[in-house]
Amino acid sequence: MKFNRIIKASIEEKFFSGKAILLLGPRQVGKTTLLRAILDNRKEKHLYLDGDDPTVVGILENANTETLRSLIADNQIVYIDEAQRINKIGIKAKILVDQFKEVQLLISGSSSFELNQQIQEPLTGRKWTFNLWPISWAEYEKEVGFLKSEQSLENRLIYGFYPDVINQTSQEEKVLIELAESYLYKDVMMYGNLKKPKLIQDILKALAYQVGHEVKFKEVAETVGADPKTVASYIEVLEKAFVVFGLSSYSYNLRTEIKTARKIYFYDNGIRNAIIRDFTPLAIRQDVGDLWENFLVSERVKRNSYYQSLARSYFWRTKQQQEIDYVEELAGKLTAYEFKWNPKRNVTFPKTFTVGYNSNNLLVNRGNFREFVGN
């Protein structure tokens, strides 16, 4: 099954605009597939360079301007895949952009931790940056249709949206566990130069069980037997490797509202469930609310990213335990969201927030979620 990615047109619009095009995202979400699909529809001749190929790495790491000229030859597009593997790729990219203005440079990578470190300064003002995530709900529904997507929602809450997981029916658990073990416990450790594989596993499990809840580094540190600073540094690597992302608490009144709290979510429900080895059907799970919230927030991240929304995302909680699941601020206006799986459940939004901030309040449930996660 092939998915039409929402971001495709936005990338195509930037071709031959005088800047490199940088595509970031987790491994196995389809970055190479997307860029190759774009290239297949273009008339220009292109050169593909695989950052996992030792020969390619050796040539690029030692290349000067003349070597690059010989390498490019008569190609009008150069695509460097898994570019974070290539030492000093930022310098080579700068040369390509500055010295070969008729050539369009494409770069893709699976770790903003390494790749951004290498290219941020050399490519300042010389790049367009895009993020690609696991298949979004909007992309999935467009491909399979309304009825099948409706029938598949519970499975998607369990198994997530990685392309291989969707395409390998009945093999979802095997694919997810392999992905978690190869990507999370190997690539992440390599990217971040982490030394303790068991600690990263323990931290991920702790975060998986706290999805939708406030995360305190000190409590996680006590759970896994590590220093809070170490936990914080490991979580930072997980964020830069596109495994998890955090929301800060919204606060204006520092006396009553909690300012420093964070919630941490996984970009994909399937990865979260693979970490805790729990693929139990939704009907008999105790964490349905957590899965629903992780799904909604991660889908909202995809939506806002693809449509280049300027909205800023938060949650809200007071010292008196009043809370709101998700808050967006756009152009000075606040919208508060509460998430409930059961469409029959009603919620009351705290007056402290709604009156104090004059917010728009919306309940997102099983029956009306499409507008929240779509366009």
Side-chain angles (χ1 to χ4, degrees):
M1 187 182 302
K2 294 183 179 180
F3 295 91
N4 184 23
R5 306 310 296 264
I6 292 170
I7 204 173
K8 181 172 181 283
S10 297
I11 294 175
E12 290 173 325
E13 289 175 358
K14 301 301 184 184
F15 266 67
F16 295 101
S17 61
K19 297 183 180 182
I21 295 173
L22 175 62
L23 183 62
L24 298 173
R27 286 177 64 88
Q28 304 297 315
V29 296
K31 298 185 298 298
T32 305
T33 300
L34 172 58
L35 291 179
R36 281 185 160 172
I38 291 174
L39 293 175
D40 287 344
N41 290 328
R42 300 193 66 93
K43 296 179 181 179
E44 298 91 352
K45 188 176 179 181
H46 69 269
L47 172 66
Y48 173 73
L49 300 171
D50 185 359
D52 284 327
D53 185 327
T55 302
V56 170
V57 173
I59 291 173
L60 287 178
E61 287 186 346
N62 296 293
N64 56 29
T65 301
E66 291 308 311
T67 305
L68 292 174
R69 193 183 307 279
S70 299
L71 185 64
I72 294 170
D74 61 344
N75 290 284
Q76 295 167 279
I77 301 172
V78 175
Y79 171 26
I80 305 175
D81 194 10
E82 295 298 342
Q84 75 277 353
R85 311 278 195 194
I86 302 165
N87 189 35
K88 296 183 180 179
I89 186 59
I91 301 300
K92 313 304 179 183
K94 181 178 183 295
I95 294 173
L96 287 169
V97 173
D98 289 349
Q99 302 298 322
F100 302 90
K101 296 185 183 298
E102 74 285 0
V103 174
Q104 176 60 61
L105 175 62
L106 307 179
I107 300 173
S108 66
S110 302
S111 169
S112 66
F113 184 85
E114 274 198 327
L115 197 51
N116 270 341
Q117 278 188 328
Q118 295 196 57
I119 69 174
Q120 192 61 46
E121 184 176 344
L123 287 187
T124 299
R126 297 178 175 87
K127 62 181 171 62
W128 301 106
T129 303
F130 298 90
N131 288 302
L132 188 69
W133 313 113
I135 304 300
S136 72
W137 176 265
E139 292 166 338
Y140 180 74
E141 184 176 308
K142 185 175 182 179
E143 176 63 29
V144 306
F146 175 85
L147 178 59
K148 185 173 180 180
S149 66
E150 182 72 12
Q151 293 170 334
S152 304
L153 177 58
E154 293 191 10
N155 269 348
R156 299 278 61 86
L157 292 181
I158 301 298
Y159 297 118
F161 287 91
Y162 271 81
D164 278 354
V165 174
I166 295 173
N167 287 324
Q168 297 194 46
T169 306
S170 78
Q171 297 292 316
E172 296 98 337
E173 296 176 15
K174 182 178 179 181
V175 173
L176 279 167
I177 289 173
E178 173 63 27
L179 182 59
E181 290 181 349
S182 64
Y183 174 47
L184 299 186
Y185 302 142
K186 293 179 183 177
D187 283 7
V188 168
M189 291 189 66
M190 179 183 67
Y191 291 154
N193 194 28
L194 307 182
K195 305 297 185 183
K196 300 178 180 179
K198 185 177 186 306
L199 180 57
I200 198 71
Q201 293 177 23
D202 291 343
I203 289 173
L204 280 165
K205 287 179 182 178
L207 296 178
Y209 283 119
Q210 293 188 53
V211 161
H213 304 277
E214 181 184 342
V215 172
K216 297 180 180 178
F217 291 164
K218 183 178 179 180
E219 292 180 359
V220 175
E222 291 174 352
T223 300
V224 302
D227 181 83
K229 290 183 178 179
T230 300
V231 169
S233 66
Y234 273 47
I235 291 176
E236 181 183 9
V237 171
L238 290 169
E239 290 180 313
K240 291 180 177 179
F242 305 110
V243 180
V244 299
F245 62 96
L247 292 187
S248 301
S249 56
Y250 186 85
S251 177
Y252 183 78
N253 186 339
L254 298 181
R255 291 185 301 171
T256 61
E257 298 169 347
I258 297 175
K259 180 64 176 175
T260 59
R262 295 189 80 205
K263 285 185 176 183
I264 294 179
Y265 298 91
F266 286 78
Y267 280 109
D268 187 75
N269 275 30
I271 292 294
R272 182 265 184 183
N273 290 327
I275 288 167
I276 61 174
R277 295 295 197 273
D278 187 354
F279 300 104
T280 306
L282 210 66
I284 55 175
R285 294 182 75 108
Q286 301 298 312
D287 58 355
V288 175
D290 297 339
L291 291 176
W292 182 237
E293 183 170 335
N294 195 89
F295 163 73
L296 291 175
V297 177
S298 61
E299 287 298 317
R300 190 69 172 185
V301 166
K302 297 175 191 176
R303 172 204 176 273
N304 288 347
S305 172
Y306 290 157
Y307 292 104
Q308 300 177 10
S309 171
L310 298 178
R312 291 183 289 182
S313 302
Y314 307 91
F315 71 99
W316 180 81
R317 184 168 175 261
T318 69
K319 296 175 182 178
Q320 292 74 37
Q321 306 302 309
Q322 294 177 306
E323 59 182 307
I324 293 174
D325 290 334
Y326 180 76
V327 176
E328 275 190 353
E329 180 183 24
L330 181 61
K333 180 66 177 177
L334 293 178
T335 303
Y337 297 92
E338 279 291 306
F339 304 138
K340 299 297 179 186
W341 169 250
N342 187 344
K344 296 181 180 180
R345 289 281 300 277
N346 293 317
V347 299
T348 301
F349 288 82
K351 288 185 179 180
T352 305
F353 188 89
T354 59
V355 174
Y357 293 116
N358 190 29
S359 64
N360 182 34
N361 305 322
L362 296 173
L363 170 63
V364 182
N365 58 35
R366 173 69 176 82
N368 69 357
F369 74 96
R370 282 176 166 80
E371 183 176 351
F372 180 76
V373 303
N375 58 10

